[in-house]
Amino acid sequence: MSTRHRPPVEARVYVPAPGEASDVELLPAGDVTEGVVRVGRTTRRPHQPQSLAVAEYLDWLEDAGFDGSPRYLGRDAQGRDVLTFMAGQCAGPVPEPWVQSEDLLASVARLVRRLHAASAGYEPRAHPFPERPSLPGHGLQDQARRTRPPEAGTLVCHLDVTPQNVVVRDDAAVGLIDFDLAGPATALRDSYNAAMHWAPLRDPADAWPGWEDVDPCRRLRIFADAYGWDEEERCRIPGFGIEAAGASYERMRHNAEVLGGGWARMWADGVGGLILRRRDWLDANAGRLVRALSG
Ligand SMILES: Nc1ncnc2c1ncn2[C@@H]1O[C@H](COP(=O)(O)OP(=O)(O)OP(=O)(O)O)[C@@H](O)[C@H]1O
Ligand SMILES: [Mg+2]
């Protein structure tokens, strides 16, 4: 490991490899960050308020021996963040049929588990993660008050393990990318979020084309077993998901209003309705989900 001669993240300058400037590829656009490109064996991303916090976390993961995240290499001459490019495939906006593989699903759960093990003990020092907006306690949150407010938590984790943010090789998850939403949370929050994206847990009316016949309960069980949720966590999942949907609805609305850009685009495209339908679906199927997870 090259940790001894690594300058602090804020002083790290990327020195280009010979010839890489002629090997440039625009990477598939996500919802929010624009202009992500591959240059040679690196990824270049616009520098963002959370970039240095993420960079320090990626250093910690490297030192912890975790091989499932990019390395932060510094900033290039244009000021962009430079990370190692992880070879493999990521899902497109509508996840392709290969994303349905149950072996892949289990490997995602194991990779998230390994991330959590590697993250244990990490405390941001020089560069804390930017505060998430504190959300007003009204509206949807009120309706969900029978459950507790989202736990703050102290385990730094990814928090956006979507099919588009997982690098896959030979039907197995080998990398997590796009740590833009990383920050302190809990293992259950991050693992639930990953399972929610990968099962996926959503109203059948919102199924991706080609995913209509996929059984989310079966897939949730596969994730639970591979990650290692205990019985108590399994029983909490529906309530936890309902609460998470409430928080997510408020956060998306806040981001759309305050940050605009891709957030406003997602909001205009109806992501709020999708989240509410997910919440109602979780509520209506709570018993079925717990039965699938237990026994
Ligand atoms: N380090 C990497 N290794 C391999 N592929 C990458 C890497 N970084 C990005 N990609 C590819 O580029 C795509 C977009 O990159 P990334 O997820 O970092 O940004 P984004 O999705 O545009 O950001 P956001 O989700 O914030 O809108 C990924 O889905 C993946 O296909
Ligand atoms: Mg992404």
Side-chain angles (χ1 to χ4, degrees):
M1 236 177 288
S2 59
T3 57
R4 250 168 300 148
H5 305 296
R6 210 169 45 188
V9 289
E10 68 277 11
R12 207 169 298 168
V13 175
Y14 176 69
V15 180
E20 72 177 16
S22 58
D23 180 17
V24 179
E25 176 195 8
L26 190 62
L27 292 170
D31 291 316
V32 174
T33 314
E34 285 171 23
V36 180
V37 292
R38 179 185 64 75
V39 182
R41 297 171 67 178
T42 70
T43 307
R44 311 290 168 98
R45 309 182 89 245
H47 188 75
Q48 302 185 70
Q50 71 277 14
S51 288
L52 295 180
V54 169
E56 265 192 355
Y57 177 43
L58 295 178
D59 278 2
W60 168 277
L61 293 175
E62 177 176 9
D63 294 347
F66 183 68
D67 59 4
S69 50
R71 305 292 174 235
Y72 178 71
L73 301 174
R75 292 178 72 180
D76 68 7
Q78 296 176 42
R80 296 176 299 188
D81 295 330
V82 186
L83 302 134
T84 52
F85 182 80
M86 305 182 83
Q89 248 181 319
C90 297
V94 172
E96 296 79 356
W98 59 262
V99 183
Q100 293 175 12
S101 156
E102 294 183 346
D103 287 343
L104 172 60
L105 174 67
S107 76
V108 170
R110 288 192 299 268
L111 183 61
V112 172
R113 180 89 201 195
R114 284 207 290 125
L115 175 79
H116 294 170
S119 302
Y122 178 61
E123 279 178 44
R125 286 180 194 279
H127 303 286
F129 288 93
E131 288 283 317
R132 292 260 192 136
S134 61
L135 301 166
H138 59 66
L140 199 69
Q141 295 280 22
D142 263 1
Q143 298 170 28
R145 211 162 256 168
R146 59 203 147 102
T147 52
R148 290 180 291 131
E151 299 154 88
T154 54
L155 182 75
V156 174
C157 35
H158 187 285
L159 298 173
D160 196 21
V161 182
T162 61
Q164 295 79 18
N165 287 340
V166 173
V167 179
V168 177
R169 279 201 301 268
D170 298 328
D171 199 28
V174 295
L176 301 170
I177 57 168
D178 188 357
F179 281 70
D180 284 345
L181 299 184
T186 63
L188 184 60
R189 188 162 142 223
D190 196 30
S191 55
Y192 167 77
N193 189 262
M196 186 266 289
H197 285 300
W198 279 86
L201 303 179
R202 40 169 67 197
D203 187 306
D206 295 316
W208 293 306
W211 286 68
E212 296 84 354
D213 296 329
V214 167
D215 178 356
C217 291
R218 179 181 161 87
R219 287 175 61 85
L220 189 65
R221 175 64 187 254
I222 291 169
F223 186 99
D225 290 349
Y227 179 86
W229 282 336
D230 64 23
E231 282 307 314
E232 194 245 330
E233 288 167 327
R234 289 169 198 242
C235 292
R236 280 181 66 192
I237 286 302
F240 191 89
I242 289 165
E243 174 193 305
S248 160
Y249 179 89
E250 295 290 351
R251 193 165 46 248
M252 296 289 287
R253 185 172 66 176
H254 175 277
N255 287 353
E257 280 169 8
V258 175
L259 303 176
W263 298 104
R265 241 183 341 265
M266 279 188 274
W267 194 254
D269 287 347
V271 73
L274 187 139
I275 295 169
L276 295 184
R277 289 189 294 279
R278 165 182 301 134
R279 187 198 56 176
D280 294 347
W281 182 85
L282 288 167
D283 205 11
N285 290 275
R288 200 177 137 215
L289 287 164
V290 173
R291 276 193 301 283
L293 285 171
S294 308

